[in-house]
Amino acid sequence: MLGMPAADTALHADADRPSRREQILRAAAQLFAERGARAVGVDDVGAAVGVTGPAIYRHFASKDAMLAEMLLRISERLLAGGTERVADAGEDPLAQLRTLIAFQVDFALDNPALITVHDRDLGSLSEDDAAQVRRLQRRYVEVWVGVLGRLHPRADAASSRVRAHAVFGLINSTPHSAGRLPRRQMAALLAAMAEAAATS
Amino acid sequence: MLGMPAADTALHADADRPSRREQILRAAAQLFAERGARAVGVDDVGAAVGVTGPAIYRHFASKDAMLAEMLLRISERLLAGGTERVADAGEDPLAQLRTLIAFQVDFALDNPALITVHDRDLGSLSEDDAAQVRRLQRRYVEVWVGVLGRLHPRADAASSRVRAHAVFGLINSTPHSAGRLPRRQMAALLAAMAEAAATS
DNA sequence: CTCACGCGTGAACCACCGTTAACATCCTCG
DNA sequence: CGAGGATGTTAACGGTGGTTCACGCGTGAG
C-alpha cells in the first residue's frame, strides 16, 4: 500500500499524458473486449504498451486486480454520471428519462470495449470484487427503475426493472453495430428507439 | 467420421430420453453460460452429467468442437425459425415483425443460457467455425433487416441493421432479468417494447 | 558522488487443463 | 458362449500462462 503511487487510483481520467498505469488499463480494456479477459495473456497486455509481461506487476497486484479496477471504474462512472444527470434534470420524469438515455448512449458509443468487458467478464472476478461491482450496478439500475417507475405509475417495480435491463440491452448493442452509421445518426436512432421502448 | 453415431447430429431435440451426447451439450451450455466457456473445465462438464472428464472425448472430438456444435445449432435454429415465421406471416411487414419478435422473445425466454453463450464465447472458436457461425448470424440479421426495411421504406439498410441489433439487444436482455416476472408478463412486456422500438 | 528507488528484463517455477494412452465393463450379435 | 464395439476410468504427458526472483539501469535527493 505504501509503495503504491498515491494518485491515479482516483477516478479522473488523466487525458493528456496518461501514466503507465493508465496506458495499461486502456490497452487491457481493448484486448479484453476483443478476445475476452481469460484469453488475453499478461504478455499480450505488456506488448500492447511496449513492455514485457511481468512489468505489469510493477503497477498491479495481479491480472485479476487489473480487471477488478477496470470494472469498478466503469460501474462507478455510470452510477455517478447517472445520478448526476437525473439530479440536474428537474422534476419531469420524461426529461429525466431523456437525459439518462442520452448519457447511456454517449457512454456506449464512446466506450464499446468497456461495455463488452463489463457484462462478459464479470464472472472471472473474485467473489468479493464481483459483489462490489454488482452493488454498484444495482444502484445504477435503481436510478433507472426510479425514473421508469415515475413514468409508469401503475407498473410494479419488477416490471420497471425488466424494462431497465431491456433498455440497457438495446443501447449496449453498440459493440455489435459499431461504425455502421455516423455517430450523430447512430446516437439519434438509439435514443429514439430507447425512448420509444421505455415509454411504451 | 465413421465411428460417430449417425443420428443426434441432426437438429431435432430428442426431448424425451436425451442421449449422453445431448446431456453433455445441455450441461455444457448451462455451465458455459454461468462461468464462460474458457473458465469451465472438461472435468466440470463431465461431473455435471455424472461422468469423469475424459469420457467427453467418446462423444466429442474436443472441447472446442462441443462449443462449435452448440453455437452452430443455435444459429441454425434461429435462422430456420426466423425465415419460416416470416414466410408464414403473409405480406404485411408489421405482421412479419410481430411474428419475428414473438419468435425471438420465446427463444430468449426458453434458452437464456444459449443466448448468453451465443454472443460471449464466439471469440473462443476456431477461425473456421467462427466464420460459419457468423455467416448464419448474418443471414438471420438479414431476415430482420428485410422486414425492417419494408417497414421503414425511407430508411437505408445500415439504419435497419443497427435497428435489428438494437432489438436483439433489447430482447436478449433476458439473462439479466430472468425470473423477475412470470413468463407471460415478461413475454408481453418485451414484445411491446421491441415493437415500439422497431417501429419508432 | 552515491544511495535509494521506480521501472524493466529474462529466466525459472508451478498449477492448471486439454488431451491421449492403457486398461476395464457391459451389452449385443453371430 | 465368445468377439467386438461403445462407453468409462485412472494415470500420465505437455503446453500455456500467471507469478516470483534476481538482477540492471537511470534519475533525483542528500
Side-chain angles (χ1 to χ4, degrees), chain B residues 20 51-52 54-55 58-59:
Chain B
R20 233 327 111 79
V51 151
T52 60
R58 299 295 171 187
H59 304 276

Side-chain angles (χ1 to χ4, degrees), chain A residues 1 18 38 40 42 47 70 77 100 104 117 122 139 145 179 192 195:
Chain A
M1 285 304 157
R38 288 195 101 97
V40 175
V42 170
M70 206 159 108
R77 272 174 63 188
L100 269 188
Q104 180 77 25
V117 177
L122 218 182
R139 286 173 59 194
V145 168
E195 185 177 328

Side-chain angles (χ1 to χ4, degrees), chain A residues 13-27:
Chain A
D14 249 329
D16 40 347
R17 218 176 59 91
S19 66
R20 237 322 117 75
R21 224 181 125 79
E22 290 307 317
Q23 292 180 38
I24 292 175
L25 268 180
R26 268 198 251 282

Side-chain angles (χ1 to χ4, degrees), chain B residues 119-133:
Chain B
D119 74 28
R120 182 179 54 195
D121 293 317
L122 218 184
S124 28
L125 238 54
S126 83
E127 205 41 64
D128 288 350
D129 290 331
Q132 204 172 342
V133 170

Side-chain angles (χ1 to χ4, degrees), chain A residues 64-107:
Chain A
D64 286 340
M66 258 180 54
L67 182 60
E69 182 166 338
M70 206 159 108
L71 295 184
L72 279 174
R73 277 204 206 179
I74 303 171
S75 307
E76 282 163 356
R77 272 174 63 188
L78 284 174
L79 174 58
T83 41
E84 186 193 340
R85 299 296 191 103
V86 168
D88 290 353
E91 297 291 319
D92 180 24
L94 185 56
Q96 295 174 342
L97 175 69
R98 289 203 173 115
T99 190
L100 269 188
I101 289 176
F103 171 66
Q104 180 77 25
V105 167
D106 277 338
F107 186 90

